[in-house]
Amino acid sequence: MKRQFYFFILLLSMIFSSFIKQPSSPLGAGGHEVGFDIQGHRGCRGLMPENTIAAMYKAIDLGVTTLEMDVVITKDNKVIVSHEPWMEKEITTRPDGTYILSTFESMQLNIYKMDYEEVKTYDVGMKPHPRFPKQHKLKAIKPLLSDLIDSVEHYLSKNNLPKVQYNIETKSLPAGDIKFH
């Protein structure tokens, strides 16, 4: 399973890189190219709920050239955008509206053991983030990677904005094999 997962992610990165045109570099003083790649970490984590479509839109509006995100796999083999392979207590509200209170509780809500339909019942945008008090609150879910990319590409096209790159990071360690991935 681990080998198939790595092959799948490699294949995804090759497919995406073949379709994505390199964006122009931002211009510095005097209109000269400076060659910076401006990445939006988890989209725009400090201002919007992390790894959500809204966070990616905000990052684009702020001028990023690469959207950085993390992916994990669900029980039904869906690739979703999430930093941790569980429902993290700092950002997640349970389907009944209660907060997850401990790291132990978070890790019991293992995304690899959930179908995507269950994952979508958790909100990751309304809970106040302890490290980002200015983060905008809005209802949000952990999106499918394919839905996020489709949404971003539509947003860019609709608003006549330049293409962006995608930095897609897998969250897997040998200690988590079979348990979290």
Side-chain angles (χ1 to χ4, degrees), residues 44-57:
C44 195
R45 181 181 188 205
L47 301 175
M48 300 297 286
E50 68 184 56
N51 278 319
T52 63
I53 292 170
M56 302 304 162
Y57 291 171

Side-chain angles (χ1 to χ4, degrees), residues 11-22 149 153 163-166:
L11 182 61
L12 269 178
S13 67
M14 290 178 359
I15 291 168
F16 290 136
S17 65
S18 68
F19 287 109
I20 298 169
K21 185 180 133 193
Q22 296 292 327
I149 291 174
E153 293 298 314
K163 294 287 187 187
V164 295
Q165 296 183 84
Y166 298 90

Side-chain angles (χ1 to χ4, degrees), residues 107-118:
M107 294 177 77
Q108 297 305 304
L109 296 169
N110 182 348
I111 293 170
Y112 185 61
K113 305 288 184 197
M114 297 178 177
D115 287 332
Y116 186 59
E117 287 304 311
E118 182 179 0

Side-chain angles (χ1 to χ4, degrees), residues 8-180:
F8 177 72
I9 296 303
L10 176 63
L11 182 61
L12 269 178
S13 67
M14 290 178 359
I15 291 168
F16 290 136
S17 65
S18 68
F19 287 109
I20 298 169
K21 185 180 133 193
Q22 296 292 327
S24 299
S25 298
L27 298 179
H32 301 339
E33 287 192 30
V34 293
F36 288 111
D37 177 26
I38 304 168
Q39 295 205 18
H41 184 242
R42 300 185 203 175
C44 195
R45 181 181 188 205
L47 301 175
M48 300 297 286
E50 68 184 56
N51 278 319
T52 63
I53 292 170
M56 302 304 162
Y57 291 171
K58 182 67 173 179
I60 290 166
D61 291 344
L62 291 173
V64 303
T65 53
T66 299
L67 298 173
E68 185 275 340
M69 65 198 75
D70 312 284
V71 295
V72 299
I73 307 295
T74 63
K75 180 179 178 181
D76 54 347
N77 295 314
K78 305 285 186 190
V79 181
I80 68 165
V81 183
S82 178
H83 185 263
E84 292 82 16
W86 53 77
M87 295 296 176
E88 176 54 44
K89 69 179 181 173
E90 282 191 331
I91 65 170
T92 308
T93 304
R94 293 177 183 275
D96 67 3
T98 60
Y99 293 160
I100 299 163
L101 301 175
S102 71
T103 300
F104 178 78
E105 264 185 281
S106 286
M107 294 177 77
Q108 297 305 304
L109 296 169
N110 182 348
I111 293 170
Y112 185 61
K113 305 288 184 197
M114 297 178 177
D115 287 332
Y116 186 59
E117 287 304 311
E118 182 179 0
V119 170
K120 290 191 313 186
T121 65
Y122 290 82
D123 180 84
V124 294
M126 293 301 294
K127 185 175 182 180
H129 198 296
R131 290 180 284 140
F132 303 110
K134 293 183 180 180
Q135 187 183 75
H136 183 75
K137 299 289 137 223
L138 60 100
K139 284 195 150 303
I141 61 168
K142 293 180 180 283
L144 292 169
L145 176 62
S146 59
D147 288 350
L148 185 142
I149 291 174
D150 287 347
S151 295
V152 164
E153 293 298 314
H154 177 75
Y155 184 80
L156 294 170
S157 175
K158 178 180 83 169
N159 294 295
N160 199 28
L161 297 168
K163 294 287 187 187
V164 295
Q165 296 183 84
Y166 298 90
N167 176 356
I168 303 169
E169 183 179 343
T170 60
K171 292 296 184 181
S172 60
L173 297 170
D177 286 352
I178 308 304
K179 183 176 180 181
F180 291 112

